[in-house]
Amino acid sequence: MKPQALIFLGAPGAGKGTQAREVAKHFSIPQISTGDILRDAVKRKTPLGLAAEAKMKAGELVPDEVVCGIVEERIGEPDCANGFILDGFPRTIPQAQFVDRTLEVKGRGVPMVLNIQVELEVLMKRLTGRRTCSVCGEIYNVYFNPPKVEGICDKDGGKLLQRADDNEETIRQRLVAYDKQTRPLIDYYRAKHVLHDVDGNRDAEPIAKDLVNFLGKA
Ligand code: AMP
């Protein structure tokens, strides 16, 4: 895979995390999810977590300088030397400009952007039905991909949890934030000829297969 930075773009519930996980595994590169990093900080009650928690609960975006700082530090780590996946970042035009600047300064080329498109109805079911393993992070969905035993991870028996922001009120706000602040990135990247649309209205497996195929040839 040639591009150093792979960006997964899409509305909340589009399947960015699920797909990024598969692609990262296949190409042995790290998946950098700003949402996961922030949730972990909230859980551990670090200064970052305390600063971000209210915004996340409200379904709003955390300030650009906070997430840019997280990403800058993370992509400087040795495991990112051969490339990395940004999952849920950038989400605003200033964040995208930050990625461009950072890659340029480091001589790491331009990013490739995968835009996962999903219909609103499917997004809502994905978000309200999502459950995540508290041990390994595996993602399930009570409608589309239920575990064999309710509430328990098939892989390690870990308890499945629902994200604090996967409730209807917060979901509504997150979709508003996506429309206002993140959707403009589609035009931003299309104009740079680095955007690839992906039909995300399918099961996770065929999407992952297509992505791995496409990236293998890229
Ligand atoms: P996610 O897991 O990607 O859906 O992110 C969960 C929440 O974390 C979002 O609703 C935001 O509050 C925050 N967040 C994650 N990534 C970003 C980002 N790139 N910019 C701003 N806020 C973010």
Side-chain angles (χ1 to χ4, degrees):
M1 191 174 51
K2 286 185 205 108
Q4 278 272 319
L6 203 54
I7 292 172
F8 278 72
L9 197 62
K16 298 185 295 293
T18 304
Q19 294 304 328
R21 203 178 158 91
E22 288 308 308
V23 171
K25 231 191 284 171
H26 185 88
F27 292 104
S28 301
I29 52 174
Q31 168 194 8
I32 302 171
S33 158
T34 41
D36 282 349
I37 293 171
L38 290 167
R39 270 186 293 282
D40 183 60
V42 169
K43 205 162 92 187
R44 292 189 291 116
K45 296 188 170 26
T46 65
L48 168 66
L50 294 173
E53 189 171 14
K55 290 277 183 202
M56 293 174 77
K57 269 205 177 131
E60 293 169 13
L61 295 187
V62 172
D64 288 337
E65 56 276 17
V66 174
V67 276
C68 289
I70 295 174
V71 170
E72 185 162 32
E73 195 178 305
R74 181 66 187 87
I75 65 178
E77 286 177 25
D79 65 335
C80 293
N82 294 322
F84 50 85
I85 295 178
L86 295 175
D87 156 18
F89 183 94
R91 259 177 154 102
T92 64
I93 295 282
Q95 290 178 24
Q97 290 167 335
F98 163 82
V99 172
D100 288 346
R101 271 197 314 275
T102 306
L103 292 178
E104 199 183 324
V105 167
K106 292 177 188 275
R108 301 183 77 160
V110 289
M112 179 186 275
V113 183
L114 300 165
N115 177 36
I116 309 185
Q117 298 176 304
V118 178
E119 286 159 19
L120 185 61
E121 210 178 299
V122 180
L123 287 180
M124 290 307 285
K125 277 195 150 177
R126 291 243 183 101
L127 292 165
T128 53
R130 172 161 57 189
R131 303 289 183 273
T132 310
C133 174
S134 53
V135 177
C136 70
E138 186 72 17
I139 302 166
Y140 295 85
N141 187 290
V142 299
Y143 304 111
F144 304 121
N145 172 34
K148 291 195 182 95
V149 180
E150 195 187 320
I152 304 289
C153 178
D154 294 349
K155 296 199 167 159
D156 55 22
K159 199 171 162 195
L160 300 186
L161 301 177
Q162 185 166 24
R163 271 172 49 167
D165 58 354
D166 278 345
N167 63 77
E168 283 203 21
E169 177 54 27
T170 310
I171 288 170
R172 231 190 321 275
Q173 289 309 318
R174 288 161 66 203
L175 291 171
V176 169
Y178 169 78
D179 267 334
K180 272 201 193 147
Q181 291 165 280
T182 309
R183 199 188 284 282
L185 294 186
I186 296 176
D187 285 341
Y188 176 88
Y189 285 122
R190 212 183 287 287
K192 289 179 181 286
H193 308 289
V194 294
L195 189 89
H196 299 269
D197 289 321
V198 179
D199 175 8
N201 293 296
R202 301 169 289 159
D203 285 347
E205 231 174 83
I207 300 174
K209 238 186 217 163
D210 282 359
L211 282 176
V212 164
N213 243 329
F214 169 71
L215 292 168
K217 290 178 196 146

